[in-house]
Amino acid sequence: MNGHANGAGLASRGTVVGAPPPKGGSVDKAADFANYFCTYAFLYHQKEMLSDRVRMDAYYNAIFRNARHFQGKTVLDVGTGSGILAIWAAQAGAQKVYAVEATNMAGHARTVAVGNGVDHIVEVIEGSIEDINLPEKVDIIISEWMGYFLVRESMFDSVIHARDRWLKPNGMMYPSHARMWVAPMQTSLGEHKVQEYHNSMSDWSHFLHETSSQYGVDMSLLTDPYRQEQRKYFLQTSLWNNLYPNQIIGPPAVVKEFDCRTATLDEVSSVHSSFRIPLDSGHQSLCGFAGWFDVHFKGCPSDPADHEVELTTAPSLEDSTHWGQQVFLLHPPISYRDGDILNGTMEITRSTYNHRLMDVNFLHNLERPGSRPTEQVVSAFFIE
Amino acid sequence: MNGHANGAGLASRGTVVGAPPPKGGSVDKAADFANYFCTYAFLYHQKEMLSDRVRMDAYYNAIFRNARHFQGKTVLDVGTGSGILAIWAAQAGAQKVYAVEATNMAGHARTVAVGNGVDHIVEVIEGSIEDINLPEKVDIIISEWMGYFLVRESMFDSVIHARDRWLKPNGMMYPSHARMWVAPMQTSLGEHKVQEYHNSMSDWSHFLHETSSQYGVDMSLLTDPYRQEQRKYFLQTSLWNNLYPNQIIGPPAVVKEFDCRTATLDEVSSVHSSFRIPLDSGHQSLCGFAGWFDVHFKGCPSDPADHEVELTTAPSLEDSTHWGQQVFLLHPPISYRDGDILNGTMEITRSTYNHRLMDVNFLHNLERPGSRPTEQVVSAFFIE
């Protein structure tokens, strides 16, 4: 499966291996490492994220335009990677920065701190944030924890853990807020995926015939599970894509928002939301849903940011990011008429076999002025 | 990294995640599962292997042309996958077949056994061969355990374990023998890889400049580790390729052979071999080494096969396999003259951080008739 292109971009966020665990096994630390963390141990991946200008600008501006927040303060960088946020925090005036990194990228972060003359401020600690110990609590927790569609990778769990354990009562979070957005979209991607799916099933038919006629074994009882696997892969797995703004055919809706200072593990572990979006006239075809996120750096109520900064991953011609958007395709697309309104609910829950992956369910129909609404449709997806 | 194409083919064998494990962590069962076994849980991958005509023909012929070996016997299939070998063994007359499979593919093997009316003979057991228990010892162990260049994945360790625990004293192994081959080769792949490497380093220079001028952080101390990572990835990692026979420019040499009935874990854990290969005249350029394997089904000394079967993965126009060959590229290629002889040793040892991956080292030079031999060169590679 690793050889298949999915969507139009290189997966720059952590690879997450998505297959059921062994019988009787649980997803333990070593498995979590093999499944997830290991991608971040490569400099190439760090560079990909460091080359995302929009991401870099947002964090850079958030820190340096609000340097006042950092001056003389103690900071914790959760998942420091190459150390960039920790070093910026030090350069902005922090008196001490703890930079925690689970992979052996930590060694490189240490090197970069030395190379930038801030190793007397930045202390790199290699280990899981849930396991390490700090000598003191901190004033600020900074972290770049957002996965595709915000929640993939479930890294914010680790940030919550760090916050509840290490943030001073009047401390602040960088970023301070996060939001998830959904919007109706148009695309031709669906046709390609459907074709790939049909090719795969046609291929399967040939395979069945060969295996039976040449090798005397009837594998037809596997057609249903094979179909299910291929449907999931080609039709139900969300795609990474960098959408054009004109592919969005109705005003986006917020489906989740939380305050990073107060959000609980329970709160962030799932999304249940409804939306009601008038569809743009002139398009006629609802091809799927697009999902993206933004985060804000607002400081905290008792000490707001002098300069609020937003990092958005909304479709954009010039300001796209390595996160792209997540695309959930409808097969077939839904025809609609001018005036129709998309009514729906979206539910995101964590995969039972890997908490870093998501199950996404949409329940949706169209409201039509002067007519009966259309039948509700359930569309199930997976963020792998 | 997962998005990069490496060589010309889809990796149909088990994906093996190759990054250092967490500090203090060992590669335990759950990690091994996440790292390795999980790919085999997909029907798509099983189908890929079942669609390899050369592989299927070899095992099919080995079993049915030697059905006498199976009639009335008890058989163990190590790593049954979709159950194909177990079902063939039953169809050939086995009275009982234990089919062990570590992934939940076991459920599908059970389904296929039922669908082919052999479920009263074939008993599918889900679990690691090292952990499960059988009610009795067996007459034959059959398994398709070979990875790229035979040893990648190190699955034969599991077969040895099964043999030592479950094979009757006079039992036999299917296949019975295995050999690894190496040959000098020519290709233009090397130029592409070198170009990709240079592009990557050039990209890094731009990245360094941007990060320094725009974001005030000097990452130049990471240039050496980045270069090392990229050299390993582009220049030192063996490639999968289906070579044309005319790309082989000298007679192949056997670098390893063992009897599956008697080989020890120690014996199969490494390869140390020398070779001396006259290079074909007219080519002039030694671009690298090609590695492949064959296995044989000979039965056992006390009960040889009526019809010996060979499964070879040597370069072939019409009989290529999903294993392809492993290609180890020399940068730059080595020029040679008519009459030159390639002298070398090859050492394969298991990666310290993942026993399913390999470190491969060649020490080589050219003997030239009437002249001094050339300087010895060390060429280090990784099978990832």
Side-chain angles (χ1 to χ4, degrees):
Chain A
M1 293 278 186
N2 287 353
H4 285 77
N6 199 1
L10 177 67
S12 304
R13 298 301 302 186
T15 298
V16 185
V17 171
K23 234 177 161 58
S26 54
V27 182
D28 69 1
K29 271 199 164 36
D32 197 25
F33 189 87
N35 272 331
Y36 171 63
F37 286 111
C38 59
T39 325
Y40 287 104
F42 288 102
L43 283 164
Y44 178 85
H45 273 272
Q46 294 295 327
K47 171 178 158 291
E48 289 292 280
M49 292 185 289
L50 292 166
S51 300
D52 178 335
R53 182 187 56 73
V54 171
R55 169 189 186 262
M56 291 289 272
D57 281 354
Y59 274 87
Y60 183 87
N61 291 331
I63 295 170
F64 288 100
R65 288 188 191 172
N66 297 295
R68 182 181 65 72
H69 275 165
F70 290 82
Q71 274 143 13
K73 296 287 171 38
T74 311
V75 179
L76 167 59
D77 177 2
V78 179
T80 201
S82 56
I84 188 75
L85 301 185
I87 288 164
W88 281 340
Q91 290 174 336
Q95 58 116 346
K96 183 74 189 181
V97 183
Y98 300 102
V100 180
E101 170 57 37
T103 76
N104 65 2
M105 185 59 52
H108 296 315
R110 220 167 266 129
T111 299
V112 178
V114 166
N116 287 270
V118 293
D119 51 304
H120 58 296
I121 298 172
V122 174
E123 180 180 337
V124 179
I125 300 165
E126 183 173 345
S128 290
I129 189 69
E130 291 86 351
D131 295 342
I132 59 94
N133 281 303
L134 302 180
E136 57 179 330
K137 294 204 178 205
V138 303
D139 300 295
I140 302 176
I141 289 181
I142 190 161
S143 180
E144 195 277 77
W145 51 266
M146 302 83 70
Y148 296 145
F149 201 14
L150 193 73
V151 294
R152 184 181 177 277
E153 296 176 49
S154 299
M155 185 179 161
F156 192 66
D157 286 16
S158 297
V159 178
I160 288 176
H161 194 282
R163 179 198 73 198
D164 292 348
R165 191 157 177 217
W166 300 114
L167 190 67
K168 289 178 184 171
N170 57 344
M172 68 178 75
M173 305 291 290
Y174 264 65
S176 57
H177 295 79
R179 281 189 307 196
M180 296 172 66
W181 296 81
V182 145
M185 62 170 290
Q186 65 177 1
T187 176
S188 57
L189 278 173
E191 299 160 27
H192 298 295
K193 288 298 171 189
V194 168
Q195 190 58 55
E196 285 176 29
Y197 165 69
H198 285 310
N199 290 347
S200 179
M201 292 312 299
S202 164
D203 215 54
W204 175 260
S205 295
H206 289 133
F207 161 75
L208 280 187
H209 181 259
E210 280 294 296
T211 310
S212 176
S213 62
Q214 297 296 319
Y215 301 117
V217 175
D218 177 3
M219 297 235 165
S220 58
L221 282 180
L222 294 187
T223 300
D224 281 351
Y226 184 80
R227 177 182 295 116
Q228 193 179 349
E229 182 187 288
Q230 298 299 286
R231 283 187 60 82
K232 175 173 177 177
Y233 185 77
F234 286 112
L235 306 181
Q236 295 182 290
T237 301
S238 59
L239 306 183
W240 179 98
N241 206 251
N242 248 328
L243 296 171
Y244 289 106
N246 68 3
Q247 289 182 270
I248 303 303
I249 56 173
V254 172
V255 291
K256 182 79 173 178
E257 50 190 325
F258 56 81
D259 181 331
C260 301
R261 183 68 189 82
T262 56
T264 62
L265 284 172
D266 202 57
E267 240 183 280
V268 305
S269 66
S270 64
V271 175
H272 298 266
S273 183
S274 55
F275 48 84
R276 195 163 170 279
I277 299 173
L279 295 167
D280 291 354
S281 50
H283 292 282
Q284 312 312 318
S285 187
L286 171 65
C287 302
F289 306 102
W292 64 84
F293 68 88
D294 57 36
V295 295
H296 286 84
F297 300 83
K298 301 186 186 187
C300 64
S302 59
D303 191 3
D306 298 325
H307 302 276
E308 276 192 28
V309 170
E310 172 183 83
L311 165 55
T312 176
T313 64
S316 169
L317 283 175
E318 311 215 327
D319 295 329
S320 64
T321 74
H322 77 288
W323 281 284
Q325 294 82 36
Q326 284 288 281
V327 169
F328 305 87
L329 296 172
L330 295 170
H331 308 286
I334 292 172
S335 298
Y336 71 88
R337 309 191 287 236
D338 286 358
D340 282 353
I341 296 172
L342 169 65
N343 230 338
T345 60
M346 183 186 73
E347 187 188 75
I348 304 180
T349 51
R350 296 182 179 186
S351 160
T352 42
Y353 62 79
N354 189 321
H355 75 289
R356 297 190 186 275
L357 302 178
M358 309 285 148
D359 296 342
V360 183
N361 284 283
F362 288 90
L363 180 66
H364 54 98
N365 71 334
L366 299 176
E367 266 179 45
R368 6 195 61 143
S371 284
R372 300 184 58 181
T374 60
E375 290 287 316
Q376 283 204 325
V377 176
V378 173
S379 298
F381 299 97
F382 303 90
I383 299 181
E384 297 273 305
Chain B
M1 296 280 187
N2 286 354
H4 285 77
N6 198 2
L10 177 68
S12 305
R13 297 303 299 187
T15 298
V16 185
V17 172
K23 233 176 162 59
S26 55
V27 182
D28 69 0
K29 272 203 163 33
D32 196 26
F33 188 87
N35 272 333
Y36 171 64
F37 286 111
C38 59
T39 324
Y40 288 104
F42 289 101
L43 283 163
Y44 178 84
H45 272 272
Q46 294 294 329
K47 171 178 159 291
E48 290 291 280
M49 293 184 289
L50 291 166
S51 301
D52 179 334
R53 182 187 56 74
V54 171
R55 169 189 186 263
M56 291 288 273
D57 282 352
Y59 275 86
Y60 183 88
N61 290 329
I63 295 170
F64 288 100
R65 288 188 190 171
N66 297 295
R68 183 181 63 73
H69 274 166
F70 291 82
Q71 275 143 14
K73 295 287 169 44
T74 310
V75 180
L76 168 60
D77 177 3
V78 179
T80 200
S82 56
I84 188 77
L85 300 185
I87 289 164
W88 281 340
Q91 290 173 337
Q95 58 117 345
K96 184 74 190 185
V97 182
Y98 300 102
V100 180
E101 170 58 37
T103 76
N104 66 2
M105 184 60 53
H108 296 314
R110 219 167 266 130
T111 300
V112 178
V114 166
N116 287 271
V118 293
D119 51 306
H120 58 295
I121 298 172
V122 173
E123 181 179 335
V124 178
I125 300 166
E126 184 173 343
S128 291
I129 190 67
E130 291 85 350
D131 295 341
I132 59 94
N133 281 302
L134 302 180
E136 56 179 329
K137 294 203 178 205
V138 302
D139 300 295
I140 300 177
I141 290 180
I142 190 161
S143 180
E144 195 276 78
W145 51 267
M146 302 84 70
Y148 296 145
F149 202 13
L150 193 72
V151 293
R152 184 182 178 277
E153 297 176 50
S154 299
M155 185 179 161
F156 192 66
D157 286 17
S158 296
V159 178
I160 288 177
H161 195 283
R163 180 198 72 197
D164 291 349
R165 192 158 176 216
W166 300 114
L167 190 66
K168 289 177 183 171
N170 58 342
M172 68 177 73
M173 305 290 290
Y174 264 67
S176 57
H177 295 79
R179 281 190 306 197
M180 295 171 66
W181 296 81
V182 147
M185 62 171 290
Q186 64 177 2
T187 176
S188 57
L189 278 173
E191 300 160 25
H192 298 295
K193 288 299 171 186
V194 168
Q195 190 59 53
E196 285 176 28
Y197 165 70
H198 285 311
N199 290 346
S200 179
M201 292 312 299
S202 165
D203 214 56
W204 174 260
S205 294
H206 289 135
F207 161 74
L208 280 187
H209 181 259
E210 280 294 297
T211 309
S212 176
S213 63
Q214 298 296 319
Y215 301 117
V217 175
D218 178 2
M219 296 234 166
S220 58
L221 282 180
L222 295 188
T223 300
D224 279 351
Y226 184 81
R227 177 183 295 115
Q228 192 179 348
E229 182 188 288
Q230 298 299 287
R231 283 188 58 83
K232 176 174 176 177
Y233 184 77
F234 286 112
L235 306 181
Q236 296 182 291
T237 300
S238 59
L239 306 182
W240 179 97
N241 206 251
N242 248 329
L243 296 171
Y244 289 107
N246 67 3
Q247 289 182 271
I248 303 302
I249 55 173
V254 173
V255 291
K256 182 80 174 178
E257 52 190 323
F258 57 82
D259 181 332
C260 302
R261 184 69 189 80
T262 57
T264 61
L265 284 172
D266 201 58
E267 239 183 280
V268 304
S269 67
S270 64
V271 176
H272 297 266
S273 184
S274 55
F275 49 84
R276 195 163 170 280
I277 300 174
L279 296 167
D280 291 354
S281 49
H283 291 284
Q284 312 310 316
S285 187
L286 171 64
C287 302
F289 307 102
W292 65 84
F293 68 88
D294 57 35
V295 295
H296 286 83
F297 300 82
K298 301 186 186 186
C300 64
S302 59
D303 191 2
D306 297 326
H307 301 277
E308 277 192 27
V309 170
E310 173 184 82
L311 166 55
T312 176
T313 63
S316 169
L317 283 176
E318 311 215 328
D319 294 329
S320 64
T321 74
H322 77 287
W323 281 284
Q325 294 84 35
Q326 285 286 283
V327 168
F328 305 87
L329 296 171
L330 296 169
H331 308 286
I334 292 173
S335 299
Y336 71 89
R337 308 191 286 237
D338 285 358
D340 282 354
I341 296 171
L342 169 64
N343 229 336
T345 60
M346 182 185 74
E347 187 187 76
I348 304 180
T349 51
R350 295 181 180 187
S351 160
T352 43
Y353 61 80
N354 189 321
H355 75 290
R356 297 190 186 275
L357 303 178
M358 308 287 149
D359 296 341
V360 184
N361 285 283
F362 289 89
L363 180 66
H364 54 99
N365 71 335
L366 299 177
E367 266 180 45
R368 6 196 60 145
S371 284
R372 299 185 58 181
T374 60
E375 290 285 318
Q376 282 203 323
V377 176
V378 175
S379 299
F381 300 96
F382 303 90
I383 299 181
E384 297 273 303

